[in-house]
Amino acid sequence: ELVFAIRDDVAIAGAMTVVFLALSAWPRGARIMPPLIGALLVGALVIAITGRFHPSQAIAFEIARPNLYLPAFSTQAMVELVLPLAITVLAVQNGQGFAVLKAAGHQPPLNAITTACGAGSIVAGLVGCSSTCLTGPVSAIISGGGEARRHYTADLMVALLALVFGLFSPMFTRSMLAAPPAFIAA
């Protein structure tokens, strides 16, 4: 989708891509400003300068209010949803995450991570969220730079940002819906 975003809106997607590539190619700059954050900031700046932020409703500073969903078991749901998701999460997502972490020089505890992801999925399911897992792309972003012994700081920041974005998801969702599609794709 990035190629189409650049084609359709070069001002936003092109600027974001150039900043991401420039910061990625300049290690000292990437330590000061992570490439993903730099690209997001430049995209937001271009949107602000061009006046292309058009919310359909007021964007209020509000905290998400989760709904409680009690489990209802059915054989059909187990076959159609649980089994494919379990295979996808355990074999694909967690497998990628473990491979990325091992390639970065870490020794991830397989059983502890699988147990934590399973417990997290149970809690997340009670409030209507998707399952938790150790994903390859996020693991690659976290372990993609710096010293391996310091990757935990990136991990803590990702966790903190995920909590903040989750708590304020109504505001962030409305903001993303008001942004141009090229910003989301890039």
Side-chain angles (χ1 to χ4, degrees):
E1 294 300 317
L2 178 61
V3 173
F4 295 119
I6 292 171
R7 179 197 68 193
D8 296 339
D9 198 337
V10 72
I12 294 172
M16 292 174 72
T17 303
V18 167
V19 167
F20 179 83
L21 293 173
L23 287 171
S24 295
W26 182 36
R28 184 177 172 142
R31 272 183 261 164
I32 296 166
M33 174 64 68
L36 285 173
I37 303 298
L40 283 172
L41 291 175
V42 165
L45 182 65
V46 171
I47 290 170
I49 290 170
T50 59
R52 304 213 12 236
F53 186 74
H54 303 292
S56 60
Q57 56 183 328
I59 297 175
F61 188 77
E62 82 180 87
I63 294 178
R65 293 179 304 259
N67 297 319
L68 182 62
Y69 297 95
L70 297 177
F73 296 96
S74 78
T75 305
Q76 183 178 356
M78 293 294 233
V79 172
E80 292 178 3
L81 296 172
V82 176
L83 189 59
L85 282 173
I87 292 169
T88 302
V89 168
L90 291 174
V92 178
Q93 295 295 334
N94 282 356
Q96 286 178 353
F98 286 117
V100 166
L101 291 176
K102 285 189 177 214
H106 301 290
Q107 295 301 319
L110 179 71
N111 290 336
I113 291 173
T114 303
T115 301
C117 288
S121 294
I122 291 170
V123 172
L126 291 174
V127 292
C129 293
S130 60
S131 61
T132 60
C133 61
L134 180 70
T135 66
V138 173
S139 297
I141 290 169
I142 290 170
S143 63
E147 302 169 27
R149 64 182 179 82
R150 301 273 324 236
H151 287 164
Y152 74 93
T153 56
D155 194 23
L156 292 174
M157 285 304 298
V158 167
L160 180 64
L161 287 172
L163 289 172
V164 168
F165 274 84
L167 284 173
F168 299 106
S169 60
M171 180 182 70
F172 289 118
T173 301
R174 288 187 192 107
S175 297
M176 291 294 102
L177 290 172
F183 178 76
I184 307 299

